């Protein structure tokens, strides 16, 4: 859940995303390194980081709960039900037409076909326009793009603030986290939706800096080692003879590399041909 705070307290906007495992949740943050007129937002992909400027602020007389713009009417029960109760959830139901004419620019490093229809659905429900762009160069170029737009730690003059949101990898946050708002209080206020403690500890740690949560995990990958016991049994005698060591299960990455290099090219499946020793 995200709340876009404008300069006038009566004009607080709340941006929400449907809770789906395959799509990002958005949270918010304010840059402590910039002026108070700047608001920034964050999310981790996979994470998204959102930046918002008070230029979006409205005058008090423009703030109303019943704005009808471009055919989006929050009082139209049929329309709201059709567009805000998708995928078996009613989470967006009370957000119908709440963010008409709000524009957000999202920068990602990897294209995904589902973004376009989901953002279109979000627009139809809330009225918000989320425009997505992709970094030229993909994943290899995203870290530099993030530094360029968010700014780097220790340099309050850095950062262009062109984009409002980013889908990033956790390691990329290390050099920019000082420019991210602490989400800890927001998580406390919305934990019935975010359920932060349901996220595994390793992922929570990856987005926490100086005792504060700076982004929300979107996706996590885990690396596990598996080995074929039959291959180890088959080559045990030959391995001992050639290398003077028992062929045992590796306990470290270094041991796995050594054993893989030694077994590479041996016949593991009995067809008389050379086989690879490892695969990722």
């Amino acid at each position: 859940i995200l709340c876009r705070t404008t300069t006038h307290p009566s004009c607080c906007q709340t941006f929400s995303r449907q809770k789906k495992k395959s799509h990002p949740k958005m949270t918010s943050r304010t840059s402590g390194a910039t002026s108070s007129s700047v608001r920034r937002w964050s999310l981790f992909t996979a994470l998204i980081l959102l930046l918002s400027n008070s230029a979006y602020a409205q005058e008090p007389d423009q703030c109303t709960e019943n704005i009808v713009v471009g055919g989006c009417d929050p009082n139209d029960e049929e329309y709201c039900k059709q567009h805000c109760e998708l995928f078996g959830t009613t989470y967006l139901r009370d957000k119908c037409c709440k963010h008409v004419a709000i524009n957000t620019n999202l920068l990602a490093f990897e294209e995904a076909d589902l973004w376009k229809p989901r953002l279109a659905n979000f627009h139809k429900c809330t009225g918000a326009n989320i425009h997505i762009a992709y970094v030229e160069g993909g994943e290899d170029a995203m870290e530099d793009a993030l530094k360029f737009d968010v700014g780097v730690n220790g340099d309050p003059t850095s950062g262009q603030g062109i984009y409002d949101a980013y889908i990033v990898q956790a390691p990329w946050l290390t050099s920019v986290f000082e420019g991210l708002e602490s989400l800890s209080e927001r998580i406390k206020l919305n934990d019935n939706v975010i359920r932060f403690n349901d996220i595994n500890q390793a992922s929570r740690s990856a987005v926490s800096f100086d005792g504060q949560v700076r982004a929300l995990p979107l996706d996590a990958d885990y690396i596990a080692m598996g080995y074929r016991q039959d291959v180890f049994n088959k080559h045990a005698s030959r391995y001992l003879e050639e290398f003077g060591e028992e062929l045992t299960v590796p306990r470290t990455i270094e041991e796995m590399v050594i054993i893989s290099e030694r077994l590479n090219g041996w016949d593991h499946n009995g067809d008389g041909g050379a086989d690879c020793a490892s695969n990722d």
Side-chain angles (χ1 to χ4, degrees):
I1 185 171
L2 9 99
C3 178
R4 169 174 243 128
T5 305
T6 62
T7 56
H8 194 281
S10 64
C11 299
C12 179
Q13 305 283 346
T14 304
F15 241 17
S16 302
R17 276 196 70 86
Q18 174 179 316
K19 184 176 178 59
K20 296 289 288 182
K21 289 185 177 180
S22 59
H23 296 277
K25 310 181 197 74
M26 297 183 181
T27 59
S28 61
R29 55 112 168 144
T30 303
S31 172
T34 59
S35 67
S36 61
S37 65
V38 177
R39 299 290 187 267
R40 289 190 172 180
W41 308 87
S42 61
L43 176 143
F44 158 9
T45 94
L47 301 173
I48 289 181
L49 312 172
L50 264 181
L51 168 77
S52 161
N53 193 293
S54 63
Y56 290 105
Q58 300 169 316
E59 294 300 322
D61 59 358
Q62 293 178 304
C63 299
T64 173
E65 293 296 320
N66 298 314
I67 302 176
V68 180
V69 179
C72 191
D73 182 359
N75 297 312
D76 187 337
E77 292 292 329
E78 183 177 349
Y79 178 92
C80 292
K81 183 175 182 179
Q82 178 183 357
H83 297 293
C84 299
E85 295 186 7
L86 301 173
F87 312 108
T89 179
T90 59
Y91 179 67
L92 291 177
R93 187 66 174 83
D94 62 346
K95 312 301 186 299
C96 186
C97 304
K98 292 290 186 180
H99 308 297
V100 171
I102 296 295
N103 295 290
T104 297
N105 294 310
L106 173 64
L107 184 64
F109 66 88
E110 185 177 38
E111 295 190 32
D113 293 337
L114 283 177
W115 270 113
K116 191 171 182 178
R118 285 301 177 90
L119 294 180
N121 292 336
F122 189 72
H123 166 71
K124 288 179 180 179
C125 173
T126 67
N129 297 299
I130 301 179
H131 307 282
I132 188 167
Y134 298 96
V135 174
E136 185 176 352
E139 184 173 353
D140 292 338
M142 187 63 191
E143 182 176 9
D144 288 338
L146 186 64
K147 291 178 180 178
F148 181 81
D149 207 62
V150 176
V152 297
N153 295 340
D155 185 359
T157 65
S158 63
Q160 302 300 302
I162 297 172
Y163 292 94
D164 301 305
Y166 315 86
I167 303 176
V168 305
Q169 297 282 12
W172 303 338
L173 299 178
T174 306
S175 60
V176 301
F177 76 87
E178 290 181 0
L180 307 180
E181 175 192 357
S182 168
L183 303 179
S184 298
E185 286 302 315
R186 296 186 184 275
I187 291 172
K188 289 179 183 178
L189 293 174
N190 300 282
D191 197 47
N192 62 318
V193 175
I194 297 174
R195 292 184 287 184
F196 192 66
N197 285 329
D198 281 355
I199 301 170
N200 67 77
Q201 184 176 359
S203 296
R204 298 200 309 268
S205 297
V207 298
S208 300
F209 302 87
D210 294 340
Q212 300 292 325
V213 180
R214 304 288 175 152
L216 286 184
L218 163 66
D219 187 21
D221 295 323
Y222 296 93
I223 299 175
M225 186 197 75
Y227 76 100
R228 287 181 54 182
Q229 183 66 62
D230 62 320
V231 171
F232 273 53
N233 292 340
K234 177 179 180 179
H235 297 312
S237 298
R238 179 183 172 186
Y239 190 92
L240 178 61
E241 181 180 347
E242 290 197 16
F243 302 108
E245 299 176 4
E246 296 283 346
L247 179 55
T248 58
V249 179
R251 294 166 296 176
T252 65
I253 296 295
E254 289 76 13
E255 290 181 1
M256 183 181 71
V257 170
I258 292 172
I259 293 174
S260 295
E261 289 177 343
R262 289 174 175 177
L263 293 180
N264 191 52
W266 292 18
D267 179 15
H268 305 317
N269 55 14
D271 66 354
D275 297 310
C276 294
S278 64
N279 189 27
D280 58 18

